[in-house]
Amino acid sequence: MAGFSTAVTGLKASTAMLDVAGNNIANSSTVGFKSSRTEFGDIYATAVVGAGSSNTPGSGVTVTDIAQDFSAGTIEFTNNNLDLAINGSGFFQLDDGQGSVTYTRAGAFELDKEGFIVSKNGKYLQGYGLDADGNRLPIGNMAVTEKESPPKATENIDLSFNIDARSDAASLLPTYNKDEPGSFTWTTTDRTFDSLGNEHTIKYNFAEQRPVKQVLNFQLTTPTNYPEISGIQLQAGDFDANGRLIDNSPATTGYDELAVADDRIDLSTVVYDTGTGELSFELKAWATDSGDVLVEEGGATLANLNTAVEDRYRDANEVRVYTVTPGAGSGTISLAGEEIQVSAADNTADGIAGLIAAREARILENNPSIESIQATTNAAGDVILQVRFKADEGDITPEPGQLNDPYPVTVTGNVTAAHDADASIQGDNSYRGYYRMYAYLNNEELLDIGKVQDPGKGTLTEPGPILVQFNPTNGLLREINGQAFPAGGQVPALTIKGADPANSLTEITLDLTGSTQFASASIVKGSLQDGYTKGDLIGVTFSATGEMVASFSNGQNKSLGVVAVATFENQAGLQPSGDTEWAATLDSGDAIVNPPGTGLNGTLRSAALEASNVDLSEELVKLIEGQRNYQANSKTLETMNAITQTILQI
């Protein structure tokens, strides 16, 4: 009777179902475990020749497959950065070092004594190495190969700041001193590192150019000689009868050559006395204190004799000088638009001076560009009238129709006036927005930040200040060390030399992009440098795209490799090999290996593990179903046995 065999197949199938459900329940807490499902098929035995299939009762049931469910389990977070989970499809690739490769979703990894990342059973996690440029190398064992981060000398500094435009440059001390805060406008400090990892500081001092012009005096030993200034040898024909440098090209070329050789010099102030051998001139206001001027006599360098603080500078204000001569009777003086009536009684030097002094406040109120008006008398009985303009006005241009005077002094009646051109001084507001920038290593050693040697001395750079200029109308940076650039244009970088005591060849690139001169507090808006000291390994983390990043105590991070993730055309064809691992088979196809997050690969989660995907409630129901099926097949055997006993009793 075939019923016995049929019932036995049912018992075997029910037992397999109970075994699978029990295995799922047993691994409900196994990291990366994938539940299985028992699949059944019926058995039919038919003859080649005989009745049709409709007359075949069937021969029972068979287990056709124990299929695995590769759906993702819940990702649970941990405190161990080496715990990894794949958020999506894919498997970690493991190598036992003997040529056997398996695949797993269980990402509970750890470091062995040699620094390799291994699974709990000692198999090596596979990934891509990285070369010095960050390019991926062939797949191999992943390891933490960097235990320390070597020091790196600072090579780049990004510094942006705002200097308060409201600061009064005129209040600065006349002589710059790095240790005297009153001699510079603002200071800030960057920390840097040398090639051995020692920390240093670079201190920057910014001294706004004051509204003054530097006066230089030199003494030639032989008055019949002529000076050589900034590499230009001047000749007798370059000076007029009063010893002033003149522009009379093409007869002579000294004036033009000197203008090109050294644009810091105010050529209108160059005077040489052939009787005494005295040479004097002034620097333009923007260039004051920016460096030395090389003056030579027959190849010998001359020293600047004007070193006294009280004599070294003169104001950059424009001063107009007039001589007013009193007469008999009454008259009128027109001064900067103010009419001053002079009676016969007041038509004296003292009287006119008093009338002008009485109107000074009114004149200043109506003429904002004028700083002061001063009227004094001389021994000849004349009034010496000085109109002093504000330094910010610079060189005052004449009003329309007036060739010499923007604010002419005119007289009518019995008063005469004349403009004293020789005594007048032109203004110079070119200092506006200019700062001398100094840099010091550890506030001691003056650094070379790009100051070109003074004209006539060479073309190399040397320690000293450079000039930084802001546009005085909008406060934006517009010139660095003589290199001008448009608003929004590329800001020229500075090169700092000598800031690495351990390696004299180290150069630091300083970028001042974003610096401004607005009417707000002086602050550092951004400061960033790329050097660091030696660091020790403090941890390893993984990014979503698989990069293994080592973190060091000096704040640096370094990518050591990329985790490999394997996928299969038919992952259902993988063969379980224990320890929550699978092996590739002909049915699954070869592994397709790529970094996480590429193609169909899932992304990586660090400090996380994938829990088992077993649904306990579903498995408990399967236990009930398996028990019921087993009992039912047992009933079939019991019934068949009863029938057999009946036949035997006939």
Side-chain angles (χ1 to χ4, degrees):
M1 299 178 69
F4 284 101
S5 298
T6 301
V8 169
T9 62
L11 290 175
K12 290 181 178 180
S14 298
T15 300
M17 181 179 181
L18 290 171
D19 290 342
V20 170
N23 185 61
N24 288 342
I25 294 172
N27 286 282
S28 60
S29 296
T30 301
V31 172
F33 179 79
K34 301 302 175 186
S35 63
S36 300
R37 181 181 72 249
T38 311
E39 298 179 353
F40 304 101
D42 54 358
I43 300 175
Y44 280 86
T46 59
V48 177
V49 178
S53 61
S54 60
N55 294 324
T56 303
S59 300
V61 64
T62 185
V63 177
T64 59
D65 191 18
I66 298 178
Q68 296 224 274
D69 177 10
F70 283 100
S71 62
T74 302
I75 293 180
E76 299 175 347
F77 294 96
T78 69
N79 293 322
N80 182 5
N81 288 335
L82 291 179
D83 288 339
L84 304 179
I86 299 174
N87 186 19
S89 61
F91 297 83
F92 298 110
Q93 189 175 32
L94 303 177
D95 191 321
D96 65 357
Q98 305 297 322
S100 176
V101 177
T102 55
Y103 304 90
T104 185
R105 296 278 293 190
F109 297 108
E110 59 190 12
L111 290 178
D112 67 7
K113 64 181 180 180
E114 296 177 345
F116 289 99
I117 300 178
V118 296
S119 63
K120 295 299 181 181
N121 57 1
K123 294 184 178 180
Y124 300 101
L125 175 66
Q126 300 297 288
Y128 303 92
L130 297 175
D131 62 17
D133 297 323
N135 300 312
R136 290 205 299 267
L137 300 174
I139 291 178
N141 299 338
M142 295 202 70
V144 180
T145 57
E146 303 287 345
K147 299 300 189 295
E148 65 179 18
S149 172
K152 178 183 179 298
T154 299
E155 295 179 347
N156 295 280
I157 297 177
D158 294 334
L159 175 65
S160 62
F161 53 84
N162 180 72
I163 295 183
D164 196 340
R166 298 168 297 184
S167 300
D168 184 9
S171 65
L172 296 178
L173 297 176
T175 302
Y176 170 78
N177 184 339
K178 70 178 179 66
D179 298 318
E180 178 52 67
S183 66
F184 48 88
T185 309
W186 183 66
T187 183
T188 186
T189 301
D190 267 325
R191 72 169 185 164
T192 62
F193 296 89
D194 64 23
S195 56
L196 296 179
N198 297 306
E199 184 173 345
H200 303 277
T201 61
I202 296 181
K203 182 182 180 183
Y204 310 100
N205 289 346
F206 294 86
E208 187 173 8
Q209 295 292 58
R210 298 180 296 122
V212 296
K213 302 180 71 174
Q214 188 175 2
V215 181
L216 298 96
N217 294 328
F218 299 88
Q219 178 67 55
L220 274 66
T221 60
T222 305
T224 56
N225 291 335
Y226 280 86
E228 180 180 335
I229 305 177
S230 298
I232 303 301
Q233 179 63 60
L234 299 178
Q235 308 293 332
D238 294 322
F239 297 90
D240 63 14
N242 296 320
R244 290 187 176 276
L245 185 68
I246 56 174
D247 179 11
N248 62 344
S249 58
T252 60
T253 58
Y255 187 99
D256 295 331
E257 291 178 346
L258 187 55
V260 174
D262 198 338
D263 63 347
R264 300 172 299 166
I265 300 174
D266 183 350
L267 298 183
S268 67
T269 65
V270 178
V271 178
Y272 178 56
D273 189 337
T274 57
T276 62
E278 294 180 0
L279 170 69
S280 66
F281 54 85
E282 300 173 0
L283 297 186
K284 296 174 183 177
W286 67 265
T288 292
D289 289 329
S290 64
D292 300 324
V293 176
L294 179 63
V295 177
E296 297 176 291
E297 178 189 5
T301 302
L302 300 180
N304 175 25
L305 302 178
N306 193 1
T307 57
V309 173
E310 61 271 16
D311 298 330
R312 193 180 303 164
Y313 309 100
R314 77 161 181 83
D315 293 337
N317 306 69
E318 175 160 346
V319 180
R320 298 275 182 177
V321 181
Y322 306 86
T323 300
V324 180
T325 303
S330 61
T332 303
I333 299 176
S334 178
L335 173 56
E338 183 71 16
E339 296 289 338
I340 301 175
Q341 300 297 327
V342 182
S343 65
D346 292 328
N347 200 350
T348 64
D350 290 337
I352 292 175
L355 291 174
I356 293 174
R359 297 294 185 92
E360 180 180 5
R362 184 180 179 91
I363 293 172
L364 297 182
E365 181 180 355
N366 295 330
N367 297 274
S369 62
I370 297 178
E371 183 177 286
S372 65
I373 291 180
Q374 184 178 19
T376 60
T377 61
N378 62 11
D382 296 323
V383 177
I384 305 303
L385 175 61
Q386 289 188 346
V387 180
R388 184 184 183 89
F389 295 90
K390 293 179 179 178
D392 281 350
E393 298 297 324
D395 191 14
I396 307 296
T397 57
E399 288 185 346
Q402 302 292 331
L403 298 179
N404 298 317
D405 297 318
Y407 294 99
V409 174
T410 59
V411 295
T412 59
N414 294 320
V415 181
T416 58
H419 174 213
D420 190 346
D422 290 338
S424 296
I425 301 175
Q426 290 184 340
D428 183 358
N429 66 352
S430 63
Y431 64 89
R432 296 181 65 208
Y434 269 103
Y435 290 80
R436 279 172 285 119
M437 178 180 175
Y438 301 81
Y440 296 91
L441 179 63
N442 300 323
N443 198 30
E444 294 294 336
E445 180 183 351
L446 182 62
L447 293 174
D448 178 352
I449 58 176
K451 177 186 177 297
V452 179
Q453 288 179 306
D454 294 312
K457 290 187 176 181
T459 58
L460 302 177
T461 59
E462 61 184 6
I466 65 164
L467 291 177
V468 176
Q469 187 193 20
F470 298 90
N471 189 327
T473 62
N474 59 25
L476 299 179
L477 194 62
R478 73 176 181 186
E479 181 180 309
I480 292 181
N481 202 21
Q483 298 185 58
F485 53 92
Q490 179 66 41
V491 177
L494 295 172
T495 299
I496 303 177
K497 300 177 182 178
D500 183 353
N503 185 355
S504 60
L505 299 180
T506 300
E507 294 184 349
I508 300 176
T509 299
L510 174 62
D511 188 351
L512 299 182
T513 299
S515 298
T516 54
Q517 186 199 29
F518 296 145
S520 62
S522 296
I523 59 170
V524 173
K525 296 193 289 186
S527 180
L528 181 66
Q529 62 87 31
D530 61 354
Y532 45 84
T533 187
K534 178 255 185 187
D536 296 315
L537 180 67
I538 58 175
V540 175
T541 58
F542 294 82
S543 70
T545 53
E547 287 88 357
M548 179 173 65
V549 181
S551 300
F552 300 92
S553 58
N554 58 2
Q556 299 303 304
N557 297 320
K558 183 176 182 179
S559 294
L560 302 181
V562 180
V563 175
V565 171
T567 55
F568 297 87
E569 293 291 344
N570 175 28
Q571 64 183 5
L574 291 172
Q575 176 66 43
S577 59
D579 291 324
T580 326
E581 298 174 10
W582 291 266
T585 66
L586 290 176
D587 291 337
S588 67
D590 292 334
I592 303 171
V593 183
N594 283 297
T598 59
L600 299 177
N601 288 357
T603 57
L604 200 65
R605 289 285 182 90
S606 180
L609 292 173
E610 181 182 0
S612 169
N613 67 349
V614 172
D615 186 341
L616 279 177
S617 60
E618 181 178 341
E619 299 304 323
L620 292 174
V621 170
K622 286 183 180 179
L623 284 179
I624 296 173
E625 292 177 353
Q627 181 185 16
R628 180 198 61 196
N629 294 341
Y630 196 93
Q631 290 175 337
N633 282 284
S634 297
K635 193 66 175 177
T636 299
L637 282 176
E638 181 182 347
T639 302
M640 294 299 298
N641 181 55
I643 294 173
T644 303
Q645 291 297 326
T646 301
I647 294 175
L648 292 175
Q649 292 175 0
I650 295 176

